[in-house]
Amino acid sequence: MSEIHLRSPRGWINDPNGFIYYQGKYHLFYQHFPYAPRWGRMHWGHAVSEDLTDWKHLEMALFPSKPADCDGCFSGSAVEKDGRLWLFYTGVRYESPDPENTNCCLNGEFVSSQLSLCSEDGETFDNFGGKRTVIPPIEDPAIGDLRNTRDPKVWKESDGRYYMVLGSTAGEKGRLLFYRSDDLERWEYANSVSAENYGWMWECPDYFRAGDAGVLLFSPMGTEYGNQAVCTFAEFSVGDASMRMGKRFRFLDYGMDLYAPQSTVDAEGRRVVIAWLRMPEAPDGRRIGMFCIPRVCEAENGHIYFRPHPNIRGKLSREIAAPNPAEQVFRLCTSLEENEELCVGGYVIGRKNGRIFADRSAVVNGHTEVLGRSETPPLHDGFAVEAYVDRNIVEVFVNDGEYVITHAVYGLTEEVRAELRAGIHYFAAQ
């Protein structure tokens, strides 16, 4: 079976970390609890690919080894400097471990620090001698939180300096903290930004340029929609490390299953985003967690698009007559008229009231806690659908990335059924 999605090698995975194109390969690290298919004391798993379509898992990159990260190496990012690969991450120390499961803590009682580790080749990591605490726990509650400050994303700016954005909270309001450095080793606090009435904590921030526009991704916790990944336009000022955010936030993905997106620049200079698919159960009882396909982020006419990476389209480019959703990885392309529907292994994609919807109610193993039916906002670019179907994930791109709906699924059947006025084209791996 062809694989286009990076999955857990064993145990549990969640947030993508350290996504970077380095020395001719794409490196993707990830939050990993290797001992069971459940959340626990975090490590960093590590996978590499030459083309973003075929991934090879390497040895564990980070694991707890210092007082500052003894209870977990949590999310972060990677940056290249002078040919070396620098990892930045959040180290956690529990103040009250759970006596019934010491991989977890009680009542959110932990302390967070920001650490770094430098690798000469991107494949060997000295967890015992190479780690450094670059930002100690924040003691000033006016700046951020002692516990809930995490997920450093580091990038180099036009002034030649390095900047770091952290997710945090202050006064029960989510915020971003900005730090800067000349050498990646000594960091100073520079500024912060927040928004009214939009969650109590902002996780996994990522700021980048998409063409001429600045784009901000983050995952606010405690909004009216729960914990969801969002995007907005934003402009970062190098001079004072301030940020002006757009007034409108929208979901990264309307299936509401994706979380903690992270981006990098690919070999051709495109901004590429990948995110974690939250799954309600382990498909095989042994491992849980996977990532969506890499998506190219582009800003056009005041809208943020997320499009399938050309390498993924290229891999699934052999046209076939009819797919088998229960066994075959494939993509389909069509256009829907009002009130038309197509059923793909029990997963329904349709058009209603000027929107595209997707309904996974029949292929979610009775998990009523997840959203069964999702829909896009009103559409402006047409009603074209490009869907990527794998055994535990369906990704529906509408109008070449105007909006996307991604769902975790279970038990797709062999059936494909549709009566559409437009034709349907199916493509499998070359």
Side-chain angles (χ1 to χ4, degrees):
M1 177 183 291
S2 176
E3 296 279 4
I4 62 170
H5 295 97
L6 179 64
R7 301 171 187 269
S8 171
R10 60 188 178 275
W12 166 283
I13 67 172
N14 59 295
D15 306 358
N17 299 150
F19 191 22
I20 190 170
Y21 184 68
Y22 172 74
Q23 295 188 357
K25 293 182 180 179
Y26 296 95
H27 291 251
L28 182 58
F29 303 84
Y30 49 85
Q31 291 287 275
H32 189 29
F33 185 66
Y35 311 113
R38 59 184 294 175
W39 191 95
R41 183 179 275 108
M42 286 301 162
H43 303 49
W44 273 33
H46 185 193
V48 295
S49 174
E50 295 183 355
D51 59 4
L52 293 170
T53 70
D54 292 296
W55 294 92
K56 176 185 177 182
H57 290 280
L58 302 183
E59 295 297 318
M60 201 82 65
L62 295 179
F63 53 82
S65 62
K66 298 293 181 180
D69 72 1
C70 60
D71 292 305
C73 301
F74 285 78
S75 291
S77 59
V79 66
E80 181 179 358
K81 179 177 181 288
D82 299 330
R84 298 188 295 172
L85 186 66
W86 291 69
L87 304 184
F88 291 85
Y89 69 99
T90 299
V92 164
R93 174 178 58 81
Y94 294 159
E95 293 185 306
S96 299
D98 184 343
E100 299 301 320
N101 177 6
T102 58
N103 290 294
C104 300
C105 70
L106 296 175
N107 305 317
E109 294 180 6
F110 59 90
V111 174
S112 296
S113 306
Q114 314 310 319
L115 291 85
S116 71
L117 190 155
C118 182
S119 170
E120 295 291 336
D121 59 5
E123 294 192 7
T124 55
F125 303 90
D126 183 1
N127 278 266
F128 298 102
K131 293 177 177 178
R132 300 290 183 270
T133 297
V134 294
I135 300 176
I138 295 176
E139 301 286 351
D140 186 352
I143 293 177
D145 193 72
L146 181 71
R147 297 174 172 83
N148 292 295
T149 297
R150 52 183 173 267
D151 311 335
K153 179 64 190 287
V154 176
W155 75 98
K156 190 174 184 180
E157 264 291 354
S158 56
D159 63 351
R161 305 179 80 182
Y162 296 92
Y163 289 81
M164 175 191 295
V165 59
L166 287 163
S168 190
T169 179
E172 299 184 354
K173 184 168 67 173
R175 61 166 40 192
L176 304 179
L177 309 182
F178 297 101
Y179 288 75
R180 59 189 163 206
S181 171
D182 292 320
D183 57 8
L184 293 179
E185 297 186 53
R186 293 172 292 275
W187 292 85
E188 63 175 1
Y189 172 72
N191 218 325
S192 68
V193 66
S194 61
E196 294 294 334
N197 303 318
Y198 205 69
W200 70 272
M201 167 68 195
W202 290 1
E203 292 194 300
C204 302
D206 191 349
Y207 171 76
F208 53 84
R209 306 294 300 181
D212 295 329
V215 174
L216 174 67
L217 312 179
F218 66 103
S219 299
M221 304 177 73
T223 71
E224 61 179 308
Y225 304 102
N227 305 338
Q228 297 295 338
V230 300
C231 62
T232 189
F233 287 108
E235 290 298 329
F236 181 73
S237 174
V238 171
D240 60 358
S242 64
M243 175 173 282
R244 180 169 53 85
M245 295 186 299
K247 296 182 179 180
R248 187 176 70 91
F249 302 105
R250 74 168 180 85
F251 297 124
L252 175 88
D253 187 288
Y254 284 80
M256 314 295 264
D257 280 358
L258 291 188
Y259 198 72
Q262 188 168 108
S263 77
T264 191
V265 176
D266 74 2
E268 285 73 37
R270 293 173 290 233
R271 179 59 61 168
V272 182
V273 175
I274 201 164
W276 166 46
L277 179 81
R278 296 182 285 195
M279 306 177 75
E281 68 177 73
D284 58 6
R286 299 183 301 105
R287 59 181 187 165
I288 186 170
M290 61 190 299
F291 298 130
C292 68
I293 62 171
R295 303 172 179 189
V296 177
C297 179
E298 296 177 309
E300 296 177 4
N301 301 318
H303 189 80
I304 302 171
Y305 288 78
F306 295 97
R307 293 167 167 143
H309 193 279
N311 290 3
I312 303 294
R313 281 178 169 152
K315 182 168 185 175
L316 298 180
S317 59
R318 176 175 60 88
E319 190 158 10
I320 58 176
N324 181 346
E327 297 181 356
Q328 189 173 26
V329 180
F330 65 95
R331 71 181 174 107
L332 67 86
C333 299
T334 191
S335 182
L336 297 177
E337 299 288 337
E338 185 70 10
N339 296 320
E340 285 188 330
E341 295 182 359
L342 63 111
C343 179
V344 182
Y347 186 88
V348 178
I349 304 170
R351 171 180 165 184
K352 188 77 172 178
N353 298 325
R355 306 166 188 248
I356 297 295
F357 72 86
D359 192 331
R360 61 168 165 182
S361 302
V363 286
V364 76
N365 271 11
H367 284 280
T368 57
E369 74 276 16
V370 300
L371 192 64
R373 186 182 188 279
S374 303
E375 65 180 20
T376 68
L379 295 166
H380 303 289
D381 294 353
F383 300 92
V385 168
E386 179 181 10
Y388 290 75
V389 181
D390 205 339
R391 60 187 182 274
N392 290 117
I393 183 172
V394 179
E395 301 174 71
V396 182
F397 292 82
V398 181
N399 297 331
D400 195 23
E402 181 184 357
Y403 297 107
V404 192
I405 297 173
T406 302
H407 281 144
V409 297
Y410 299 87
L412 292 173
T413 68
E414 298 181 0
E415 179 188 29
V416 176
R417 174 171 41 83
E419 294 182 5
L420 308 182
R421 277 168 277 185
I424 307 177
H425 298 275
Y426 302 101
F427 302 90
Q430 291 280 14

